[in-house]
């Protein structure tokens, strides 16, 4: 062994590995320890009696549990803190909504290329906005209760009429679907103008007038997207799309 090569430290890991359940956080903890150069003594708790006995012996409520140099570090989250890692899941990030925009753009370009022979068409831009609306609405509808609670924190119309917080993702989804298909413009255009206009005004007022730091409900209740410029763009896109579809017949005529 060279002078610069230190022996690997040993970590002792206790985790549930049962016939019908393998603890995901135990797997994550093992991977994290190995990736940081630890030699892992991997102890399996293979039935409920072993789990209960382990918890009682060490006075803990959960597994997995990690021990390093005889000291109990704790579970997976405790291990991340011990190793000095940030908890990315709890940090505010625009990544979720940017992935929605990117996915919608890729779908729109692909459809335009397949149907019209070129990815760069006016229809591709229309489909991009419409698909973005539907994807964002889908994320909101996964947990409409949490979404509505977040939405009520800043939306001006929802604060005056609470049912609007529940109706919003349905309105966004159907408006996007009709716009993508180019049907029922008499319905989709005013809906997009209203929800986009009110939403844009609400975000602008909360962020730039009141200077509040909030999570945006744009990707649903599980997201940690900060309310700000990117959130404002969702509403700007809707309004721009509605105005374009309203003026498109005159422009083409």
């Amino acid at each position: 062994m060279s002078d610069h090569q230190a022996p690997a430290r040993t970590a002792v890991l206790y985790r549930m590995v049962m016939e019908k359940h393998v603890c995901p956080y135990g797997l994550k903890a093992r991977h994290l320890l190995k990736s940081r150069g630890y030699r892992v003594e991997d102890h399996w708790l293979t039935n409920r009696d072993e789990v209960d006995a382990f918890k009682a012996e060490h006075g803990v409520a959960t597994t997995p549990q990690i021990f390093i140099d005889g000291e109990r570090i704790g579970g997976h989250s405790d291990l991340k803190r011990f190793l000095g890692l940030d908890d990315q899941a709890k940090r505010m990030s625009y990544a979720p909504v940017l992935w929605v925009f990117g996915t919608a753009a890729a779908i729109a370009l692909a459809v335009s290329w397949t149907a019209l022979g070129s990815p760069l068409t006016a229809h591709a831009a229309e489909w991009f906005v419409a698909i973005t609306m539907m994807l964002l609405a889908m994320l909101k509808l996964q947990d409409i209760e949490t979404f509505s609670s977040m939405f009520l924190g800043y939306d001006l119309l929802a604060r005056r009429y609470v049912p609007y917080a529940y109706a919003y993702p349905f309105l966004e989804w159907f408006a996007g679907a009709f716009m993508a298909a180019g049907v029922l413009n008499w319905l989709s255009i005013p809906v997009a103008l209203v929800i986009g206009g009110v939403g844009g005004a609400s975000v602008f007022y909360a962020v730039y007038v009141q200077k509040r730091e909030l999570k945006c409900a744009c990707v649903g209740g599980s997201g940690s997207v900060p309310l700000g410029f990117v959130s404002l763009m969702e509403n700007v896109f809707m309004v721009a799309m509605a105005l374009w579809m309203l003026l498109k017949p005159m422009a083409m005529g």
Side-chain angles (χ1 to χ4, degrees):
M1 182 182 298
S2 68
D3 294 338
H4 300 288
Q5 188 177 13
R9 298 177 66 187
T10 298
V12 181
L13 170 65
Y14 292 86
R15 63 190 180 97
M16 287 192 289
V17 181
M18 302 180 183
E19 182 180 356
K20 295 184 178 180
H21 174 69
V22 176
C23 177
Y25 293 103
L27 292 171
K28 288 184 177 182
R30 186 185 64 174
H31 171 75
L32 187 55
L33 287 164
K34 287 185 174 181
S35 69
R36 288 305 175 104
Y38 285 87
R39 185 174 65 85
V40 180
E41 290 184 7
D42 191 6
H43 296 271
W44 291 7
L45 305 172
T46 58
N47 56 60
R48 179 52 57 184
D49 290 339
E50 289 184 1
V51 172
D52 292 341
F54 174 83
K55 290 179 180 179
E57 178 184 354
H58 295 278
V60 298
T62 61
T63 60
Q65 291 291 321
I66 300 98
F67 297 80
I68 298 176
D69 295 336
E71 176 187 356
R72 187 176 69 84
I73 303 303
H76 175 255
S77 297
D78 299 311
L79 176 63
K80 292 180 71 175
R81 284 191 289 270
F82 175 80
L83 296 174
L85 301 176
D86 292 330
D87 190 347
Q88 297 292 333
K90 295 181 179 178
R91 294 176 59 186
M92 299 279 264
S93 171
Y94 283 116
V97 74
L98 292 177
W99 274 110
V100 170
F101 289 163
T103 301
I107 295 172
L109 293 172
V111 171
S112 178
W113 201 346
T114 300
L116 304 175
S118 172
L120 303 177
T121 64
H123 280 297
E126 295 173 0
W127 288 328
F128 163 67
V129 177
I131 294 168
T132 298
M133 291 168 63
M134 295 181 70
L135 291 176
L136 290 172
M138 177 193 70
L139 294 174
K140 296 176 177 72
L141 288 167
Q142 290 182 105
D143 185 354
I144 196 168
E145 282 296 333
T146 304
F147 159 76
S148 62
S149 297
M150 293 176 65
F151 194 61
L152 285 163
Y154 60 87
D155 189 82
L156 298 174
L157 179 54
R159 286 183 167 187
R160 290 179 175 272
Y161 185 63
V162 171
Y164 175 67
Y166 292 91
Y168 181 94
F170 293 98
L171 294 172
E172 184 178 32
W173 193 93
F174 281 105
F178 294 151
M179 287 179 165
V183 299
L184 299 180
N185 290 345
W186 60 269
L187 178 59
S188 63
I189 291 174
V191 167
L193 281 173
V194 170
I195 66 175
V198 173
S202 299
V203 172
F204 185 86
Y205 182 69
V207 174
Y208 300 105
V209 177
Q210 294 184 315
K211 307 294 184 182
R212 299 169 66 195
E213 294 184 1
L214 299 169
K215 288 184 180 180
C216 181
C218 52
V219 294
S222 62
S224 294
V225 176
L227 193 68
F229 178 76
V230 175
S231 313
L232 186 61
M233 287 300 98
E234 174 189 5
N235 299 287
V236 170
F237 284 159
M238 277 194 281
V239 172
M241 177 70 165
L243 291 175
W244 162 247
M245 296 191 73
L246 188 63
L247 299 174
K248 181 179 176 180
M250 291 182 282
M252 296 182 65

